[in-house]
Amino acid sequence: MTESADEKAAQNSEHRRIDGKALAARLRRELKARAEAAGIIPCLAVIRVGEDPASRTYVGAKIKACAEAGFASRHIALPEDVSEEALLEEIRRLNSDADVHGILVQLPLPRHIGEHRVLAAIRPDKDADGFHPLNAGRLFLGLDAPVPCTPRGILRLLDEERISLRGKHAVVIGRSNIVGKPVASLLLARDATVTICHSKTPNLAEEVRRADVLVSAVGKAGLVRPEWLKPGAVVIDVGINRTPEGRLTGDADPACAEVASAITPVPGGVGPMTVAMLLENTFELAMAAKGKNGAPDA
Ligand code: NDP
């Protein structure tokens, strides 16, 4: 009894651990109920090229999450040496399949395939990852679009934790098209003042020290030092790294939890939210398709 009271007190103390796993589980249950209530079975098609072990794990988790939420899914596994044209043909087939609402191509792709050409071939209204250039542009302009899953999950975690962003200084480490740039765009749209850092940023520690909210999306264990943080900063750790012992760990040194007011653990923070947001995107694409099919052409 005493222990659980202590645990509760620790959770409510200044150093909060943001439980992405629990929130993602709740969101997945809610999406299942929303799809049932709407009388739709959203369908996600996932294309994987080659046998990269991490890609296999991620795709497996996405397919499993679909099944658990009562969504349909298609898993298309293509060989490592598949031609770009054959991959594009597969995408065109899924684009014109009315039963498929969301399409994603698991990245990275083998070097002989043009990633930008592939992402641009997905119909923007079936773009489950929000990586199509049209949707990336719409997001940047603040227009309605499918939002990339990890950035969307980060904003949802911040909202659920009631962490306000208006007037706050947000620092994003990493400028990839899938995490760094879109999350910076979303934070800006919420009236944060945003700094984006990358490998050529001369004094990372100094930039991080100004952060009320820090998002680290690099992939380097222990990069973010506790002494860099402003006391009470919120830390969203996107990084996924494997220690020599095989454990998963984020970009933030574990001692950051002692300085931050709230921090996402790795695993169990941003990762599960990414999958939950993929389901949410697929659900929304399915709802939009239902609306279009039910309405006369504009
Ligand atoms: P990328 O490799 O595409 O981008 C990494 C970014 O980090 C680049 O912008 C790079 O700078 C920057 N960087 C590298 N070294 C440093 C440094 N020493 N100081 C400052 N910046 C640095 O990675 P992703 O965005 O795809 O992913 C980032 C991490 O997040 C990875 O660990 C990945 O596994 C994880 N991830 C987790 C997800 C989740 O659901 N939890 C989802 C997606 C990714 P530059 O541009 O100059 O090279």
Side-chain angles (χ1 to χ4, degrees), residues 58 149-151 172-181 196-201 204 216-220 223 228 237-241 249-251 266 269-275:
Y58 294 141
C149 304
T150 304
V172 177
I173 319 179
R175 56 172 163 178
S176 71
N177 292 336
I178 65 172
V179 189
K181 283 181 202 161
I196 307 176
C197 303
H198 46 78
S199 68
K200 311 294 183 296
T201 300
L204 190 60
S216 184
V218 175
K220 288 207 163 107
L223 173 78
W228 293 3
D237 193 348
V238 186
I240 301 178
N241 311 290
T249 181
D251 289 346
V266 179
V270 175
M273 288 299 292
T274 297
V275 180

Side-chain angles (χ1 to χ4, degrees), residues 57-90:
T57 304
Y58 294 141
V59 168
K62 291 166 185 178
I63 299 286
K64 181 164 169 259
C66 280
E68 282 171 5
F71 289 16
S73 64
R74 310 259 179 94
H75 181 187
I76 297 110
L78 300 173
E80 179 83 23
D81 61 355
V82 70
S83 69
E84 183 177 303
E85 185 44 38
L87 172 56
L88 292 173
E89 187 48 40
E90 191 63 49

